[in-house]
Amino acid sequence: SSFSSSVDWFRSQGCEISQAHISLEAGPDAFLILRAIDFAKVHNKRQRSMCKPEIQWNAELGDEIIGNTEILERGWSILKRMRHQIDSMMNTYSHNGNNTSDPIDFLITPTVFLPPFDASIRYLSRFESKQFGNYIDWLAFTSAVDREDRGG
């Protein structure tokens, strides 16, 4: 796979590779919630008619979420849990067991799970047997790390 090839390239450059697995399963939910709020703030209601339908949908979802404390708290809670998981993983692999610290220079993750597609397609609504619920679901891997990296 391309991911394995990328990891092999880093190894060939002298990098020590440590594999770790954490669950970022809830990442897309947090991403959707927090992205919608960002879009609602950035794309005011007068401007939205000039945006493509997917952006309008995202901003309108944000309008609904802004007033819903429970959903907003869920988004931030997921983000904090993911941050804790990633921090714990980084701390675990930053120490050699004898309390000497070797810094981690890279966090390498897969981005998307499918090959490039025709640029004239606005977004994927389906891939093989998988139906996506909205225009950003196919970016699930990327969104978990993207939102996590923004802090909270």
Side-chain angles (χ1 to χ4, degrees):
S1 76
S2 289
F3 182 71
S4 296
S5 299
S6 298
V7 171
D8 289 343
W9 182 86
F10 279 101
R11 189 174 283 118
S12 77
Q13 301 303 303
C15 296
E16 180 181 330
I17 305 296
S18 298
Q19 284 192 346
H21 301 278
I22 59 174
S23 174
L24 300 176
E25 218 174 298
D29 194 32
F31 179 80
L32 182 63
I33 292 167
L34 301 174
R35 176 183 170 99
I37 291 167
D38 287 349
F39 274 47
K41 290 176 182 175
V42 170
H43 301 287
N44 68 48
K45 291 180 182 181
R46 288 182 322 188
Q47 296 174 324
R48 288 183 196 165
S49 63
M50 296 183 287
C51 296
K52 61 184 180 177
E54 297 83 15
I55 302 301
Q56 292 176 22
W57 170 83
N58 220 162
E60 289 165 6
L61 180 62
D63 288 339
E64 293 173 24
I65 292 171
I66 286 174
N68 189 324
T69 308
E70 184 179 328
I71 293 175
L72 186 56
E73 286 176 1
R74 186 178 75 215
W76 286 113
S77 175
I78 292 168
L79 189 65
K80 287 176 185 171
R81 276 196 317 270
M82 290 187 333
R83 161 73 65 188
H84 177 73
Q85 287 180 14
I86 290 173
D87 286 348
S88 293
M89 178 193 67
M90 298 297 270
N91 287 333
T92 298
Y93 287 93
S94 290
H95 294 73
N96 291 330
N98 58 4
N99 262 354
T100 61
S101 180
D102 287 331
I104 293 178
D105 296 317
F106 299 100
L107 172 63
I108 305 172
T109 66
T111 52
V112 292
F113 57 91
L114 51 106
F117 55 88
D118 187 330
S120 67
I121 298 172
R122 289 174 76 155
Y123 64 92
L124 292 181
S125 59
R126 169 185 222 83
F127 180 71
E128 294 178 351
S129 63
K130 173 73 173 157
Q131 181 75 35
F132 301 114
N134 58 58
Y135 82 103
I136 56 177
D137 275 356
W138 69 278
L139 296 169
F141 284 126
T142 305
S143 66
V145 174
D146 175 64
R147 276 318 305 198
E148 189 283 328
D149 190 43
R150 296 178 191 212

